[in-house]
């Protein structure tokens, strides 16, 4: 450790007078120290203030630029060193070195830039204000060797997580390069080509995660990039199918794009893709295609079109999937499709296989996402169909207790969906559901929701609507009488929310008349 502090002192002097031999020696010592204990050595480097000197050693004229870049790459493996590297002004000289012809310099410079911007928002902000995007794309276009291209990819990927840089990369023509790579490598089975195809198509999808860059490439659905990506979906290459479906899911982030794509036959392409993967269980492709369909189903105008194209049948083929990510997207897609579509909701709600699977997934304790979506779909089937048959199917499959539990969710939106569904059950099929509502302790739960100060106004409102609806059942009516509901309800008459106060008066009358 003492030799390390000597090295750092010596470096400060030699970096200024540029005595080449002793400088090389000092840098070698540093690299050795970093290899032995990266964190500790990095802390000492930072404390010594030597990073500021590195900028002058990273110029094209400097004979030790590769070693210095290597040291920067090593220290930037530590999160606490990334901002200091930016503050020491190392980004600009490193970007300039990307024009070097020397392999070693390029390799170490790429590593250094990649590590500095890895996972760090603030360093990416600084990158956005340099011309790194343009330099990297220019450099990329010149490269023929696989290793060099992969190295540039490694710098590009973390940078492309910043939206400003995404746009700069798109404007610098990166997309055209990536499409070119895909074109060249799609039929090759060479290891390197397969890697490059994957890296290139993944990066393409990443660029589409930015709203501006995505819209620029969509070009109203006329864009050559969009058309090219469409052609990936029917390809025989799984990596391209995956990237194509993910790209569509990203293009489908606003209503305009979704409507355009559905009108231009994208749904059929995605359904064909899903069909090819029902049996082989390629989870990533299934998940991506379902994500795209779910997003496409959000605009109201698309729902009926997708339903008549047979999307529900295509999606239901994956009911038997044991993979939570696929289950999650399947549920989300169905829930989007039946929103305000009474006929479709009724058809699905009478599908015993589906309802039984939903009830099973409502108990998926290990997968909160799947559990939440199953509950929400159960409730949606009732709310959108308002059908007695659907309610009977759900009662018979044991779904009532889950809707009651959902009324106690920590998410207000889910509580509300549950209460509205339960009110419809009470209004349409109270006799059928009575026993299950009783054993799920619904009346006690409603009492708790009304008494709790923290319940949102709409929760209080819907709980009172539901209490009134339950009065039609003798046993539930008795439970309401046994718990002092009048006290809680009359307090709510002075609630600041008008609807709550009004509903409290009505509920109070019902309770008084019927007692």
């Amino acid at each position: 450790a003492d030799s390390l502090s000597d090295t750092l002192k010596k470096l400060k002097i030699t970096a200024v007078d540029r005595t080449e031999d002793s400088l090389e020696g000092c840098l070698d010592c540093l690299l050795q120290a970093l290899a032995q204990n990266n964190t500790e050595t990095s802390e000492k480097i930072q404390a010594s203030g030597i990073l500021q000197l590195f900028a002058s050693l990273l110029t094209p004229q400097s004979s030790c630029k590769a070693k210095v870049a290597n040291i920067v790459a090593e220290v930037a493996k530590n999160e606490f060193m990334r901002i200091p590297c930016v503050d020491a002004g190392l980004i600009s000289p490193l970007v300039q070195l990307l024009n070097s012809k020397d392999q070693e310099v390029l390799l170490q410079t790429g590593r250094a830039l990649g590590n500095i911007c890895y996972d760090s928002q603030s360093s990416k902000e600084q990158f956005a204000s340099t011309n790194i995007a343009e330099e990297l794309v220019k450099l990329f276009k010149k490269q023929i060797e696989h290793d060099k291209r992969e190295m540039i990819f490694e710098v590009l990927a973390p940078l492309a997580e910043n939206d400003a840089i995404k746009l700069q990369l798109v404007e610098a023509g990166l997309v055209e390069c990536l499409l070119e790579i895909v074109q060249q490598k799609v039929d090759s089975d060479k290891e390197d080509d397969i890697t490059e195809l994957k890296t290139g198509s993944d990066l393409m999808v990443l660029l589409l995660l930015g709203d501006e860059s995505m819209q620029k490439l969509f070009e109203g659905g006329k864009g050559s990039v969009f058309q090219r990506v469409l052609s990936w979906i029917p390809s025989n290459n799984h990596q391209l199918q995956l990237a194509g479906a993910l790209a569509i899911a990203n293009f489908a982030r606003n209503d305009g794009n979704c409507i355009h794509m559905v009108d231009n036959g994208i749904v059929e392409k995605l359904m064909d893709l899903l069909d090819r993967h029902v049996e082989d269980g390629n989870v990533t492709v299934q998940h991506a295609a379902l994500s795209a369909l779910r997003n496409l189903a959000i605009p109201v105008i698309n729902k009926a079109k997708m339903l008549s194209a047979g999307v529900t049948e295509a999606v239901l083929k994956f009911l038997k999937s044991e993979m939570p990510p696929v289950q999650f997207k399947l549920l989300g897609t169905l829930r989007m499709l039946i929103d305000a579509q009474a006929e479709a909701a009724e058809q699905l709600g009478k599908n015993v296989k589906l309802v039984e699977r939903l009830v099973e997934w409502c108990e998926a304790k290990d997968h909160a996402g799947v559990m939440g979506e199953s509950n929400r779909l159960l409730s949606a089937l009732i709310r959108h169909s308002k059908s007695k048959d659907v309610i009977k199917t759900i009662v018979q499959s044991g779904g009532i207790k889950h809707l009651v539990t959902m009324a106690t969710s920590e998410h207000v939106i889910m509580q509300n969906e549950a209460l509205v569904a339960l009110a419809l059950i009470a209004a349409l099929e109270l006799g059928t559901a009575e026993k299950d509502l009783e054993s799920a302790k619904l009346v006690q739960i409603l009492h708790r929701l009304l008494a709790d100060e923290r319940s949102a106004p709409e929760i209080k409102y819907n709980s009172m609507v539901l209490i009134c609806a339950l009065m039609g059942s003798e046993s539930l009516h008795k439970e309401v009488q046994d718990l002092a509901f009048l006290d809680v309800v009359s307090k709510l008459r002075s609630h600041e929310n008008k609807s709550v106060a009004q509903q409290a008066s009505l509920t109070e009358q019902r309770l008084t008349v019927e007692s």
Side-chain angles (χ1 to χ4, degrees):
D2 292 339
S3 66
L4 176 60
S5 28
D6 293 344
T7 302
L8 289 166
K9 282 200 193 94
K10 208 160 135 197
L11 240 179
K12 279 193 162 166
I13 303 161
T14 46
V16 181
D17 355 330
R18 303 272 171 147
T19 19
E20 296 296 344
D21 299 347
S22 55
L23 188 56
E24 289 279 338
C26 289
L27 295 172
D28 286 336
C29 284
L30 274 189
L31 280 168
Q32 266 175 318
L34 283 164
Q36 277 163 347
N37 188 333
N38 191 322
T39 314
E40 197 182 320
T41 308
S42 295
E43 281 167 353
K44 291 197 168 136
I45 289 177
Q46 190 188 1
S48 72
I50 204 167
L51 281 176
Q52 274 65 24
L53 298 172
F54 283 173
S56 65
L57 299 175
L58 287 168
T59 56
Q61 305 79 337
S62 159
S63 65
C64 56
K65 51 188 179 272
K67 267 186 188 146
V68 175
N70 188 355
I71 292 172
V72 174
E74 286 303 315
V75 300
K77 286 178 177 171
N78 302 289
E79 177 135 13
F80 65 87
M81 291 298 286
R82 291 175 194 154
I83 304 290
C85 287
V86 173
D87 293 342
L90 302 183
I91 295 204
S92 195
L94 284 168
V95 173
Q96 291 316 308
L97 286 181
L98 289 173
N99 290 309
S100 162
K101 299 274 176 286
D102 180 328
Q103 289 295 329
E104 181 62 14
V105 171
L106 273 173
L107 175 72
Q108 301 302 349
T109 304
R111 285 183 60 229
L113 285 168
N115 290 351
I116 292 173
C117 70
Y118 182 77
D119 244 17
S120 156
Q121 258 340 92
S122 32
S123 61
K124 286 177 195 154
E125 308 288 299
Q126 317 258 170
F127 275 93
S129 59
T130 67
N131 59 344
I132 187 166
E134 214 175 320
E135 293 284 350
L136 282 171
V137 175
K138 231 189 302 187
L139 186 69
F140 187 75
K141 286 178 176 163
K142 284 191 275 196
Q143 296 318 322
I144 312 149
E145 292 156 59
H146 170 75
D147 294 345
K148 294 269 287 287
R149 278 162 64 153
E150 277 296 306
M151 188 273 305
I152 302 170
F153 269 146
E154 275 165 31
V155 183
L156 282 173
L159 279 177
E161 285 173 11
N162 172 291
D163 282 358
I165 299 178
K166 283 190 181 77
L167 197 57
Q168 290 171 3
L169 290 169
V170 169
E171 284 168 349
L174 178 60
V175 173
E176 289 67 22
C177 300
L178 297 176
L179 290 171
E180 186 84 3
I181 289 178
V182 168
Q183 197 78 19
Q184 289 164 7
K185 315 286 179 191
V186 64
D187 297 320
S188 164
D189 42 22
K190 291 217 312 263
E191 192 68 34
D192 281 356
D193 290 346
I194 292 170
T195 314
E196 220 168 293
L197 178 75
K198 176 167 171 40
T199 319
S201 52
D202 283 348
L203 190 51
M204 179 78 201
V205 172
L206 185 59
L207 291 175
L208 293 174
L209 279 171
D211 287 335
E212 283 184 85
S213 45
M214 178 271 288
Q215 220 36 45
K216 193 178 170 65
L217 294 171
F218 190 64
E219 292 179 67
K222 307 276 182 287
S224 57
V225 176
F226 171 65
Q227 295 302 331
R228 208 62 161 305
V229 166
L230 271 188
S231 71
W232 294 356
I233 295 176
S235 95
N236 287 320
N237 182 307
H238 283 188
Q239 172 57 34
L240 276 195
Q241 296 170 359
L242 171 65
L246 287 172
I248 297 301
N250 284 336
F251 279 126
R253 284 211 310 280
N254 64 51
D255 285 6
N257 294 5
C258 287
I259 292 166
H260 181 90
M261 288 192 280
V262 168
D263 286 347
N264 286 276
I266 188 69
V267 172
E268 290 66 23
K269 284 194 172 68
L270 288 167
M271 282 173 24
D272 288 345
L273 177 59
L274 275 175
D275 254 351
R276 295 158 69 178
H277 291 288
V278 174
E279 294 313 322
D280 74 348
N282 183 325
V283 176
T284 44
V285 176
Q286 293 173 2
H287 180 258
L290 289 167
S291 297
L293 287 171
R294 180 195 177 280
N295 289 0
L296 290 166
I298 292 172
V300 177
I301 191 171
N302 281 356
K303 298 182 199 291
K305 293 177 184 165
M306 290 175 72
L307 288 167
S308 59
V311 173
T312 38
E313 292 73 23
V315 169
L316 285 171
K317 289 179 187 161
F318 295 91
L319 255 192
K320 55 180 186 290
S321 168
E322 291 304 333
M323 303 311 273
V326 174
Q327 298 167 350
F328 182 72
K329 286 297 176 189
L330 171 148
L331 292 163
T333 307
L334 292 177
R335 191 164 62 80
M336 289 305 153
L337 280 171
I338 63 168
D339 193 8
Q341 306 294 313
E343 205 178 318
E346 173 149 15
Q347 206 182 344
L348 283 175
K350 292 194 290 198
N351 178 333
V352 179
K353 264 212 184 77
L354 168 66
V355 174
E356 283 177 350
R357 194 71 161 135
L358 291 183
V359 170
E360 188 185 325
W361 285 339
C362 283
E363 288 161 21
K365 296 277 183 287
D366 310 339
H367 301 289
V370 173
M371 206 162 99
E373 277 292 337
S374 305
N375 276 305
R376 293 190 75 182
L377 183 53
L378 264 187
S379 152
L381 291 170
I382 296 173
R383 287 181 299 114
H384 298 302
S385 71
K386 302 187 174 52
S387 143
K388 285 172 175 267
D389 290 337
V390 170
I391 295 171
K392 283 181 188 150
T393 308
I394 291 175
V395 171
Q396 277 149 14
S397 308
I400 296 295
K401 61 173 182 293
H402 297 298
L403 290 170
V404 175
T405 311
M406 183 182 169
T408 62
S409 158
E410 69 251 27
H411 305 290
V412 173
I413 189 159
M414 285 176 64
Q415 277 187 290
N416 230 349
E417 288 173 355
L419 291 169
V420 173
L422 288 164
L424 283 163
I425 293 171
L428 296 168
E429 276 295 324
L430 187 52
T432 315
E434 184 176 51
K435 289 265 179 302
D436 290 353
L437 294 172
E438 237 176 292
S439 56
K441 305 255 184 292
L442 174 62
V443 174
Q444 288 82 337
I445 287 171
L446 292 174
H447 191 275
R448 215 167 55 231
L449 290 176
L450 288 173
D452 187 347
E453 250 110 76
R454 291 163 315 193
S455 301
E458 59 269 41
I459 301 301
K460 296 206 152 108
Y461 178 85
N462 283 324
S463 297
M464 288 188 283
V465 170
L466 183 47
I467 284 295
C468 294
L470 295 175
M471 305 288 267
S473 144
E474 213 170 304
S475 52
L476 292 167
H477 186 170
K478 184 172 181 325
E479 286 188 17
V480 172
Q481 283 176 324
D482 292 347
L483 283 169
F485 266 90
L486 262 173
D487 303 352
V488 207
V489 171
S490 50
K491 281 203 189 88
L492 292 173
R493 278 198 336 217
S494 53
H495 197 278
E496 60 197 1
N497 180 300
K498 287 280 187 303
S499 313
V500 172
Q502 265 176 330
Q503 187 57 42
S505 297
L506 291 171
T507 309
E508 191 184 39
Q509 284 166 11
R510 273 300 290 275
L511 289 168
T512 332
V513 171
E514 313 237 347
S515 59

